[in-house]
Amino acid sequence: MLDRRTVLASGLAAGLAASFSSPVLAAEADGLSKLAERSGRRFGSAVAWGKPGADRGSFANPAYASILERECSLLVPENELKWQWTRPGPTTFDFKQLDAIADYAKSHGFDLRGHTLFWLPEKWYPKWLVAHDFGAKPAEAAEALLTEHVRTVCRRYGTRITSYDVVNEAVQPETGEIRDTVVTKALGHERTLDVMFHAAKAEAPHAQLVYNDYMSWERTGEDETHMRGVLKLLEGFRKRGTPVDALGIQSHIRILKPLTVAELVSEAEGPWRRFLDEVVGMGYKLLITEFDVNDRKAPSDVAKRDRMVADYAKAYLDIMLSYPQLKDVLAWGMVDRYSWLEGFDPRPDKLKKRGTPYDANFKAKPLREAIASAFASASVQAA
Ligand code: 9MR
């Protein structure tokens, strides 16, 4: 994999470099990925596919691409590896959009994560899978379907994808148990997950294999059950020798109560650190895979809201970066205008959310500075 700065310096990137004025190249030296690098870490973002000219958080949108190229060294497809995009039918594959992202990543020297080989909740399956007939030997049929999927993806992208969310969101937050779906019913709960990780290990032995989930540090009863369920799952992986390298902590952090940042952090920090200590105690690495801030209960006033979002994020990132086991931090999009948060859990005042580092007009916000200062003050080197 070419280092992005090597690409920028080379003739390969002549066209790109020519489009940068020197102040932009100078500013790149202080990009978030550069700051992350100083403590042995990487910073990246989700990116979407989009037709050239489309107003999306896509590499084909020049305003978005220039933020990615300035701030990130690592990308992850926001949707394009999901079964809903890659699996039009039980024996067919479609990689057009993912190929376009992978080609952009390669030509610009970004590392690439794979999200996700299997998103477990049935809600996110393509329609044909929900209705799939697994036949007289359902376990064998389900195992063959999953294994073929992993084999096809991993062989196509080879070493271009260096880390996979092999399984996403297996734990039901309300119960802490592995979710019931047509696939887990056919193959068994633990077996479904084990098959996925063993297949990924066989087909992508170079890659980091991640279990990814959204248990979060806010003190809601559901997050506590979710955290306990994830710990139980991670213990099970270790007992059974399932090849899982890391826990992906999505980190869609949320301001859900009308409290100050200090109050929110003081109720969240202790139990969250105990959770992280248990995870790393079992030998897992950590990643922040989908960082953003749901500002639902933060003040309406934009300046106050941006300050609160930034301070809340800084407190969270400081805790996370105190773990040497955490190497990669990825934002779930860099610009408010394209954030999934806009369509989710609206604010009571109906104002637009402001949970990513750049505003709707591509202007850096205090959240961007909070991420920069968390990296700058991270004394602990990633392990
Ligand atoms: O941001 C993604 C949004 O564009 C999609 O419509 C949605 C459904 O595919 O998924 C969103 O990403 C989710 C991610 O894949 C898994 N963790 C939660 C993310 C936000 O919902």
Side-chain angles (χ1 to χ4, degrees):
M1 178 69 56
L2 287 174
D3 171 73
R4 188 158 59 87
R5 261 152 287 275
T6 315
V7 172
L8 277 173
S10 77
L12 274 178
L16 179 68
S19 69
F20 279 156
S21 60
S22 43
V24 174
L25 277 174
E28 195 205 30
D30 300 312
L32 293 171
S33 63
K34 189 76 199 166
L35 291 167
E37 227 175 78
R38 292 188 194 133
S39 67
R41 295 191 165 92
R42 300 188 297 181
F43 179 78
S45 172
V47 60
W49 177 80
K51 290 196 182 90
D55 190 24
R56 296 210 61 202
S58 159
F59 61 89
N61 172 347
Y64 196 77
S66 83
I67 291 177
L68 295 179
E69 288 160 23
R70 198 163 63 238
E71 302 283 31
C72 302
S73 62
L74 180 63
L75 297 179
V76 61
E78 183 170 356
N79 292 305
E80 295 73 2
L81 174 52
K82 294 171 182 173
W83 284 51
Q84 280 179 335
W85 289 63
T86 58
R87 299 303 306 272
T91 56
T92 48
F93 291 83
D94 180 355
F95 291 115
K96 276 195 290 298
Q97 288 90 0
L98 188 56
D99 280 355
I101 290 178
D103 290 348
Y104 169 75
K106 189 173 182 204
S107 63
H108 289 73
F110 291 100
D111 285 329
L112 189 62
R113 300 202 65 242
H115 172 81
T116 166
L117 289 172
F118 194 38
W119 194 359
L120 205 90
E122 205 172 273
K123 175 179 177 192
W124 302 116
Y125 294 177
K127 284 202 182 66
W128 66 261
L129 180 55
V130 180
H132 193 60
D133 179 4
F134 288 96
K137 293 188 171 168
E140 283 87 335
E143 180 165 347
L145 182 72
L146 294 179
T147 307
E148 198 211 352
H149 182 80
V150 172
R151 185 188 309 127
T152 307
V153 173
C154 292
R155 290 191 184 175
R156 185 176 189 90
Y157 294 99
T159 53
R160 284 193 284 166
I161 296 184
T162 51
S163 170
Y164 280 102
D165 292 335
V166 178
V167 176
N168 189 42
E169 302 175 8
V171 173
Q172 183 78 44
E174 302 82 3
T175 62
E177 301 298 328
I178 299 174
R179 296 172 194 267
D180 282 321
T181 81
V182 289
V183 176
T184 59
K185 277 184 200 127
L187 182 53
H189 293 85
E190 291 173 349
R191 179 92 188 119
T192 298
L193 275 52
D194 290 356
V195 161
M196 287 299 301
F197 280 101
H198 281 291
K201 185 77 187 168
E203 296 296 339
H206 65 281
Q208 177 192 49
L209 305 183
V210 178
Y211 172 71
N212 194 49
D213 212 330
Y214 61 84
M215 65 286 133
S216 193
W217 75 330
E218 290 85 19
R219 305 310 292 154
T220 67
E222 199 173 288
D223 282 296
E224 285 164 40
T225 313
H226 201 169
M227 275 155 63
R228 275 200 302 277
V230 168
L231 287 176
K232 195 167 93 179
L233 189 78
L234 295 178
E235 278 163 21
F237 287 148
R238 285 294 183 250
K239 278 193 198 122
R240 301 192 300 279
T242 313
V244 183
D245 300 314
L247 175 65
I249 299 171
Q250 292 186 4
S251 307
H252 297 290
I253 62 173
R254 300 162 294 170
I255 299 172
L256 297 176
K257 299 179 190 170
L259 299 177
T260 64
V261 167
E263 287 164 343
L264 290 168
V265 172
S266 86
E267 67 173 31
E269 178 168 359
W272 185 243
R273 279 192 184 275
R274 285 194 287 281
F275 169 73
L276 297 175
D277 290 345
E278 286 205 45
V279 175
V280 299
M282 288 186 257
Y284 291 101
K285 302 276 189 200
L286 305 173
L287 294 88
I288 292 181
T289 49
E290 305 181 16
F291 177 75
D292 54 25
V293 186
N294 184 342
D295 61 6
R296 198 162 89 81
K297 280 282 169 75
S300 301
D301 177 81
V302 164
K304 285 195 188 130
R305 180 142 50 108
D306 283 356
R307 187 71 263 144
M308 185 172 188
V309 164
D311 292 347
Y312 189 57
K314 172 78 164 60
Y316 179 76
L317 293 172
D318 283 348
I319 293 168
M320 296 301 287
L321 293 174
S322 72
Y323 286 81
Q325 296 86 349
L326 179 87
K327 187 167 159 61
D328 292 335
V329 177
L330 290 102
W332 205 239
M334 294 296 288
V335 175
D336 289 342
R337 185 186 191 101
Y338 309 119
S339 169
W340 75 286
L341 285 168
E342 220 30 79
F344 172 79
D345 194 18
R347 287 177 54 85
D349 59 15
K350 306 278 181 271
L351 292 175
K352 291 204 179 295
K353 302 247 184 72
R354 300 180 61 86
T356 77
Y358 283 77
D359 74 10
N361 299 313
F362 306 95
K363 197 164 154 287
K365 295 189 305 184
L367 177 55
R368 192 258 173 216
E369 291 318 306
I371 300 171
S373 94
F375 280 130
S377 61
S379 52
V380 178
Q381 288 281 323

